[in-house]
Amino acid sequence: MLYGVELSSRLLLGTARYPSPAVLERAIKASGAQIVTVSLRREGGASRAGQSFWSFVQSLGLRVLPNTAGCHSVQEAVTTAHMARELFDTKWIKLEVIGDADTLQPDVFGLVEAAGILTQDGFEVFPYTTEDLVVADRLLEAGCRVLMPWGAPIGSARGLNNVYGLRSLRAHFPDIPLIVDAGLGVPSHAAAAMELGYDAVLLNTAVAEAGDPVAMARAFALAVEAGRTAFLAQPLEPRDMAQPSTPVIGKAALERFSN
């Protein structure tokens, strides 16, 4: 559940970089996603092309999560969020405040400040953050009720760079919805995130730039389902020593007889 909204899908999908709207629509359907992210800056909300894209997204009947992609300051992110609320008619906002142009790592100081401003103004904020526990705590204090730590830099397809950090975040905040956002490249990365106990994953590039985006969207959907099922099944913990699957006690003893 995200801000009181019950969802059946644990896969969130971005809408950028697809070969065509038709491929995007087919990929969304194949993924089973109920939430898609849309960048106001990229779409150019006031332009005719932007309005056309928004009409297309509306026709899919999905919940839209606008984001502040490309914002590098608190003021820029807050202004973009207000524009997105007006255009998309939603209190939801995926908050990005980028601190480094090469890695697209979040500026966690600006992120916490912007989150506080937006939550006080009635927004329901989905912050794109790191796996830092202190930052997570500050975001919750600022009013966020969902956290979206990165797996790896956006578009890098490197998977989960800091499994220890992500596992610690899950352990420290067991009751907070956690969504791995960014850096996933193949379905096994998504399954690994879900096996850690994460509630969902958000991805874009791994599907949009695949040779067959529709097939890849379906593969990620299956991986998310498999990972979640495995987590609920309480998987076996790793062991340092071998443990035979066939019991030794009660094993038949064979003797050699000679004439």
Side-chain angles (χ1 to χ4, degrees):
M1 183 176 292
L2 303 176
Y3 287 108
V5 177
E6 192 76 39
L7 300 160
S8 58
S9 174
R10 295 178 181 273
L11 176 60
L12 289 70
L13 208 59
T15 56
R17 311 180 73 90
Y18 284 84
S20 69
V23 172
L24 169 60
E25 181 176 5
R26 290 169 56 211
I28 291 173
K29 290 180 178 179
S31 73
Q34 296 170 289
I35 299 174
V36 293
T37 62
V38 177
S39 170
L40 177 65
R41 295 170 63 89
R42 178 175 60 81
E43 297 311 328
S47 71
R48 185 173 301 175
Q51 292 292 350
S52 175
F53 184 83
W54 173 223
S55 297
F56 165 71
V57 172
Q58 282 183 306
S59 72
L60 300 178
L62 304 170
R63 182 171 285 270
V64 173
L65 176 60
N67 66 42
T68 62
C71 292
H72 291 261
S73 71
V74 172
Q75 181 178 357
E76 193 178 14
V78 169
T79 300
T80 302
H82 280 88
M83 293 171 62
R85 181 166 63 180
E86 181 178 348
L87 177 63
F88 299 117
D89 191 27
T90 178
K91 295 186 293 185
W92 281 14
I93 190 72
K94 180 190 170 189
L95 180 61
E96 297 183 26
V97 182
I98 301 302
D100 182 79
D102 292 327
T103 64
L104 300 181
Q105 178 169 329
D107 171 1
V108 295
F109 305 101
L111 182 68
V112 171
E113 182 181 349
I117 294 171
L118 291 172
T119 54
Q120 287 190 14
D121 197 31
F123 283 88
E124 295 174 337
V125 179
F126 294 67
Y128 164 62
T129 183
T130 66
E131 67 278 11
D132 188 284
L133 296 176
V134 177
V135 174
D137 200 44
R138 297 294 182 271
L139 287 167
L140 296 176
E141 289 175 359
C144 299
R145 295 294 173 262
V146 176
L147 298 175
M148 303 182 72
W150 66 346
I154 294 171
S156 67
R158 298 185 61 86
L160 307 182
N161 273 356
N162 185 359
V163 174
Y164 170 80
L166 292 170
R167 183 181 290 116
S168 297
L169 192 66
R170 177 72 284 175
H172 276 73
F173 303 104
D175 300 322
I176 300 298
L178 300 180
I179 302 171
V180 171
D181 175 19
L184 304 185
V186 291
S188 58
H189 295 159
M194 300 303 293
E195 287 170 7
L196 291 176
Y198 276 71
D199 297 283
V201 299
L202 191 159
L203 51 104
N204 187 166
T205 311
V207 171
E209 296 190 0
D212 185 340
V214 178
M216 187 61 77
R218 177 59 179 156
F220 268 102
L222 294 171
V224 167
E225 181 180 353
R228 180 64 180 177
T229 302
F231 169 73
L232 295 176
Q234 302 178 357
L236 186 68
E237 292 293 330
R239 296 167 173 159
D240 293 329
M241 301 294 291
Q243 180 170 318
S245 57
T246 302
V248 176
I249 298 177
K251 183 178 180 181
L254 301 178
E255 298 182 6
R256 173 178 290 182
F257 296 92
S258 57
N259 294 327

